[in-house]
Amino acid sequence: MELEKLILGIDIGTSSVKISMLDIHTLKSVFAKSFPTKANITPSHQKGDEQDVIKIFRTLQKCLKTAGNLMKKVKAIGVCGQMHGIVFWNKQFIQQFWDNGFEFEDQEFVSNLYTWQDKRTDLTFLDKLPKPNSHLKTYSGYGCITALWLKENQPDILNKYQYCGTIQDLTVSLLCNQQKPIMSTHNAASWGYFDLINCSWNVNILRKINFPLDLLPSVVQPGSNFGTLYDTIYDLPKGTVIGVALGDLQCSVIATLTAKTDAIINISTSAQMAFVATNMKQQHDGVEYFPYFENDYLAVAASLNGGNVLNVFVKSVLNWVSVLGLNITEDELWNRLYNLPPENHLIPLIVNPLMYGERHNPKTYGSIINVTNDNFTLTELFSGFSKGLVNNLINMMPRELLLSSGIQRIIGSGTVITKNQIIREEIENSFKLPLHISNPEESAIGAALTMLKNNPSLFNS
């Protein structure tokens, strides 16, 4: 039977853009594509982390071009992406897009994306800020915190632009040709200084520290519609309904969760472990409660250390090899690491891979212990880094917390889990719960599913 109605899901991730197209009858993905953005650039601060927004949108363009005639069948578009980060823009940027498509003439109307990995706001800066009126704390890399630092240290940035949002908020604004963004609670809560209970920014607190309140987007519940596609582009029909942008973690969970007795582990650039909670009773230092859907929460252990740590390890090995005058490609090295035979040592090498620290424990970094004369091998190092990422998650969200919350199974997602057998085995061994591996395009699928759930009339005609 010919496919009649599809939903397009878009995920603007930290390292790649993914799209997935869902058949509304089977809820199966009939087309998926992913391309790396390669958008990281030299930041304006030595501890910063910035991305080229134009490169991100050109990667989105590349994804959309691959779908061909399937785009004509799309009835709705759901968008999600990396949380916490912030980008600024002017109305001319939106206008320029519709005048020239993805061939942006000038980059002056949009800032770089300051990502969740940005650490220019050190502890000294954070300590002088007022506490938010929220159950969620604020950390380096959060949108409001980055904006406050820019206001104090690079005021021209804030003076230059009219609007701001996450990269997925800008994506939705762009497609709908609406300059002023509207945020979901997913993204607003990820910025800090947002009261989830009352669905409002901490206006009084922010006013006292001279935060530019006119920049703050208005906020709606996840699942709300933002607008419609301004004009036909890559065969996507003009007038296609587009939802407000969502968080990638929440979309990953809704796409993979089969029961509330499941917990999710996602390891891609960073790492997260989460389960759905109806309240915030179960407290633990490494766990925070993010907004989910329909007034539920996600109990989340959000680690800054994931695939980014393994990438650092691989690039270090490549550098050592190069210094010795030898040569191996990065892809070949990854392939060999994944296929190294295991080694058994009386005293195992233990790696604590916290290269990027942790939000709840920012002064603690990585270490390697139990080094002996026979276990300091490439195999043991790679195995130690892989196992260490899982051990860090279980320290943040202990097995006992999962069991007391009724969790019976773990669903694994993200490229690091799907490719790394050591990590999969360590998850099962550490948590002593069965592990099921999910679809790699889960966040894009979750964004699409949300549109189907909240717009049934679009698909009933």
Side-chain angles (χ1 to χ4, degrees):
M1 184 178 72
E2 183 183 5
L3 298 170
E4 294 294 337
K5 297 174 182 177
L6 302 176
I7 316 168
L8 172 63
I10 298 172
D11 175 22
I12 311 293
T14 306
S15 57
S16 65
V17 173
K18 302 181 182 73
I19 67 168
S20 186
M21 304 179 80
L22 250 58
D23 173 12
I24 68 160
H25 301 293
T26 65
L27 300 185
K28 300 294 185 182
S29 176
V30 299
F31 179 86
K33 204 68 181 179
S34 172
F35 290 109
T37 59
K38 299 180 181 178
N40 283 85
I41 57 177
T42 302
S44 56
H45 186 277
Q46 62 180 355
K47 292 185 178 180
D49 193 89
E50 300 175 27
Q51 294 184 343
D52 185 328
V53 170
I54 305 300
K55 286 185 178 180
I56 292 172
F57 284 127
R58 284 182 178 154
T59 307
L60 173 59
Q61 174 196 36
K62 192 175 178 181
C63 285
L64 296 176
K65 278 184 172 181
T66 61
N69 288 333
L70 284 175
M71 287 294 188
K72 295 178 180 179
K73 302 176 185 294
V74 170
K75 301 299 180 183
I77 302 171
V79 180
C80 68
Q82 52 175 303
M83 296 187 290
H84 307 298
I86 187 169
V87 57
F88 304 86
W89 67 91
N90 287 330
K91 64 180 181 180
Q92 291 95 329
F93 182 69
I94 308 289
Q95 294 170 347
Q96 184 175 261
F97 171 79
W98 286 105
D99 288 342
N100 302 296
F102 286 91
E103 300 304 318
F104 297 95
E105 289 183 343
D106 200 324
Q107 202 163 344
E108 68 171 312
F109 301 127
V110 66
S111 73
N112 294 331
L113 168 63
Y114 302 86
T115 81
W116 58 272
Q117 297 182 108
D118 197 285
K119 290 188 175 181
R120 71 189 67 212
T121 52
D122 57 18
L123 289 177
T124 301
F125 184 85
L126 291 170
D127 286 344
K128 70 181 183 181
L129 296 178
K131 291 184 178 180
N133 178 24
S134 171
H135 74 279
L136 293 168
K137 298 177 182 178
T138 54
Y139 298 103
S140 179
Y142 281 27
C144 282
I145 305 302
T146 302
L148 284 165
W149 188 95
L150 291 170
K151 181 180 179 298
E152 183 174 309
N153 296 277
Q154 296 178 8
D156 289 348
I157 296 290
L158 270 64
N159 295 334
K160 185 176 180 180
Y161 300 105
Q162 299 163 294
Y163 310 108
C164 65
T166 65
I167 186 63
Q168 56 268 31
D169 294 319
L170 175 53
T171 302
V172 169
S173 294
L174 206 65
L175 295 175
C176 295
N177 194 19
Q178 294 188 31
Q179 287 83 23
K180 189 171 178 59
I182 299 174
M183 261 187 172
S184 69
T185 58
H186 291 176
N187 294 319
S190 80
W191 266 16
Y193 289 105
F194 182 79
D195 182 358
L196 185 60
I197 305 302
N198 295 315
C199 194
S200 62
W201 297 105
N202 293 172
V203 173
N204 291 335
I205 296 174
L206 292 172
R207 182 180 288 117
K208 289 179 181 177
I209 52 178
N210 297 315
F211 187 95
L213 296 174
D214 56 318
L215 279 177
L216 288 174
S218 55
V219 181
V220 297
Q221 293 299 318
S224 303
N225 290 336
F226 182 94
T228 59
L229 185 65
Y230 178 70
D231 203 353
T232 300
I233 187 168
Y234 300 118
D235 288 329
L236 280 171
K238 175 182 179 179
T240 301
V241 175
I242 301 177
V244 65
L246 306 170
D248 53 359
L249 175 60
Q250 288 88 340
C251 286
S252 174
V253 172
I254 202 170
T256 56
L257 196 72
T258 58
K260 289 190 176 181
T261 53
D262 290 337
I264 311 294
I265 291 183
N266 177 278
I267 307 180
S268 47
T269 302
S270 57
Q272 303 90 24
M273 186 165 193
F275 61 87
V276 177
T278 56
N279 56 57
M280 297 183 284
K281 289 181 180 178
Q282 298 272 23
Q283 298 294 326
H284 190 272
D285 284 347
V287 176
E288 290 197 289
Y289 287 83
F290 292 173
Y292 187 49
F293 295 96
E294 297 179 350
N295 298 317
D296 280 339
Y297 298 94
L298 274 186
V300 181
S303 172
L304 299 176
N305 300 276
N308 49 5
V309 167
L310 296 181
N311 284 333
V312 170
F313 175 73
V314 166
K315 290 186 185 303
S316 296
V317 174
L318 286 171
N319 182 59
W320 301 337
V321 169
S322 175
V323 168
L324 294 173
L326 305 175
N327 187 43
I328 185 174
T329 67
E330 186 170 341
D331 287 343
E332 186 180 0
L333 177 56
W334 275 112
N335 185 57
R336 292 192 184 188
L337 289 172
Y338 287 141
N339 291 285
L340 286 171
E343 297 176 355
N344 294 311
H345 297 276
L346 186 62
I347 300 175
L349 190 74
I350 297 176
V351 179
N352 179 25
L354 302 188
M355 290 184 174
Y356 295 91
E358 289 294 3
R359 293 188 179 109
H360 69 283
N361 194 7
K363 295 181 180 180
T364 299
Y365 288 94
S367 60
I368 300 175
I369 61 174
N370 283 2
V371 180
T372 68
N373 64 318
D374 68 340
N375 70 7
F376 196 61
T377 66
L378 185 61
T379 297
E380 281 295 282
L381 278 169
F382 184 68
S383 176
F385 272 97
S386 298
K387 291 178 179 180
L389 294 176
V390 178
N391 292 330
N392 182 48
L393 284 176
I394 201 169
N395 287 333
M396 295 175 70
M397 185 177 281
R399 180 174 183 270
E400 293 72 25
L401 176 59
L402 298 179
L403 297 180
S404 65
S405 301
I407 301 303
Q408 300 175 10
R409 182 178 71 155
I410 294 174
I411 298 178
S413 65
T415 53
V416 174
I417 289 181
T418 57
K419 292 181 178 180
N420 193 318
Q421 175 69 19
I422 298 171
I423 283 181
R424 295 196 296 273
E425 291 177 354
E426 189 66 16
I427 289 172
E428 290 194 299
N429 292 338
S430 296
F431 288 97
K432 295 180 174 59
L433 290 168
L435 173 67
H436 171 77
I437 304 301
S438 74
N439 191 303
E441 288 84 31
E442 67 284 330
S443 294
I445 290 173
L449 285 172
T450 302
M451 290 304 295
L452 175 60
K453 184 176 182 180
N454 290 281
N455 293 276
S457 61
L458 289 175
F459 310 100
N460 293 333
S461 57

